[in-house]
């Protein structure tokens, strides 16, 4: 304290050693940007997608990555081998399927229906029915004085098994025709080609036969024959006859 004339003055000067320096308050505007930057940094550090250090020491982490790389490298050749095996199996399956389809297609082209010219070649069908029908009418028609001529005709229009069967039976017929004055007249009523190839044919033939004996009434009978013919020397020859 200082004394002056009649007045006591209290010294209020601050002690530099004991007096605290009042803090200067920052302006509000300058604090807000800093707070926002700190909040931003804090949120980025807490973000789930941030990079985290792998757990464990560096040696273990390195070993794990090496194992993964080794596993991937080992699986690649195995996968390649399996792909090659699968490709081979598929190739074999496709070849087998193609072969099967080819065989089936060939069978469809070679079926009896497609190779039967009786269904498509009218001219050839008419020719074989005409020649076979004429041959049967001649060999199964004879008289008491024409048996020799009938036998010669049979040698021209019959062959193979048909000629052998005819020759075995005609010996008896020839004797009876001469002794009993028999006359046999055969007429082809209908002849149908069931199958016609390039050099063979199968026919179903219907016949009407009239038996006449001297001094007696004529007798009529019907016959049905299965006939096989072959094209020989430019003409159809009967090679087999079966009575039905």
């Amino acid at each position: 304290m200082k004394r002056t004339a009649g007045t006591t003055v209290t010294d209020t000067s601050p002690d530099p050693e004991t007096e605290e320096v009042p803090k200067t308050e920052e302006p509000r505007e300058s604090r807000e940007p800093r707070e926002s930057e700190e909040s931003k940094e804090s949120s980025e550090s807490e973000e789930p997608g941030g990079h985290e250090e792998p757990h464990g020491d560096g040696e273990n982490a390195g070993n794990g990555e090496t194992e993964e790389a080794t596993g991937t490298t080992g699986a690649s050749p195995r996968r390649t081998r399996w792909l090659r095996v699968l490709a081979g199996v598929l190739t074999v399956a496709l070849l087998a399927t193609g072969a099967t389809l080819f065989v089936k297609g060939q069978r469809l082209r070679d079926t009896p229906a497609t190779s039967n010219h009786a269904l498509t070649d009218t001219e050839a069908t008419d020719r074989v029915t005409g020649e076979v029908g004429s041959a049967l009418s001649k060999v199964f028609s004879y008289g008491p004085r024409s048996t020799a001529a009938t036998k010669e005709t049979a040698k021209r229009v019959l062959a193979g098994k048909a000629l052998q069967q005819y020759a075995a039976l005609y010996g008896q017929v020839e004797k009876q025709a001469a002794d009993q004055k028999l006359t046999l007249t055969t007429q082809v009523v209908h002849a149908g080609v069931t199958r016609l190839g390039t050099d063979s044919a199968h026919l179903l033939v219907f016949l009407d036969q009239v038996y006449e004996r001297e001094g007696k009434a004529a007798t009529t009978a019907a016959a049905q024959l299965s006939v096989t013919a072959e094209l020989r020397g430019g003409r159809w020859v009967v090679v087999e006859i079966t009575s039905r």
Side-chain angles (χ1 to χ4, degrees), residues 186-187 189-190 205-209 221-225 243-244:
T186 300
Q187 181 180 3
V189 178
H190 180 72
V205 183
F206 297 88
L207 307 174
D208 277 347
Q209 294 181 308
Q224 183 177 345
L225 304 176
S243 180
R244 297 173 64 89

Side-chain angles (χ1 to χ4, degrees), residues 78-225:
R78 285 199 299 270
R79 186 179 307 162
T80 303
R81 285 195 298 271
W82 277 109
L83 289 175
R84 289 178 180 175
V85 172
L86 181 59
V89 171
L90 289 176
T91 302
V92 173
L94 289 174
L95 289 175
T97 303
T100 302
L101 293 176
F102 176 78
V103 171
K104 289 183 177 180
Q106 191 68 24
R107 287 178 179 174
L108 288 175
R109 289 192 295 270
D110 295 339
T111 55
T114 56
S115 61
N116 188 1
H117 300 300
L119 304 176
T120 57
D121 195 339
T122 305
E123 183 178 355
T125 302
D126 293 341
R127 178 186 174 189
V128 67
T129 53
E131 292 185 10
V132 170
S134 176
L136 295 177
S137 297
K138 290 177 180 178
V139 297
F140 291 119
S141 297
Y142 54 85
R145 292 178 294 273
S146 63
T147 54
T150 301
K151 185 186 295 185
E152 290 301 320
T153 301
K155 292 178 182 180
R156 294 194 308 269
V157 299
L158 302 181
K161 187 177 179 180
L163 182 57
Q164 295 172 3
Q165 293 172 339
Y166 185 86
L169 295 174
Y170 196 74
Q172 302 175 8
V173 171
E174 189 175 15
K175 188 175 184 302
Q176 292 177 355
D179 294 343
Q180 301 177 13
K181 309 298 183 183
L182 293 178
T183 300
L184 176 64
T185 304
T186 300
Q187 181 180 3
V188 175
V189 178
H190 180 72
V193 180
T194 58
R195 180 175 174 80
L196 175 61
T198 55
D199 57 0
S200 64
H202 299 274
L203 301 89
L204 185 62
V205 183
F206 297 88
L207 307 174
D208 277 347
Q209 294 181 308
V210 179
Y211 291 89
E212 295 181 278
R213 181 177 297 178
E214 189 175 359
K216 294 186 178 182
T219 303
T220 302
Q224 183 177 345
L225 304 176

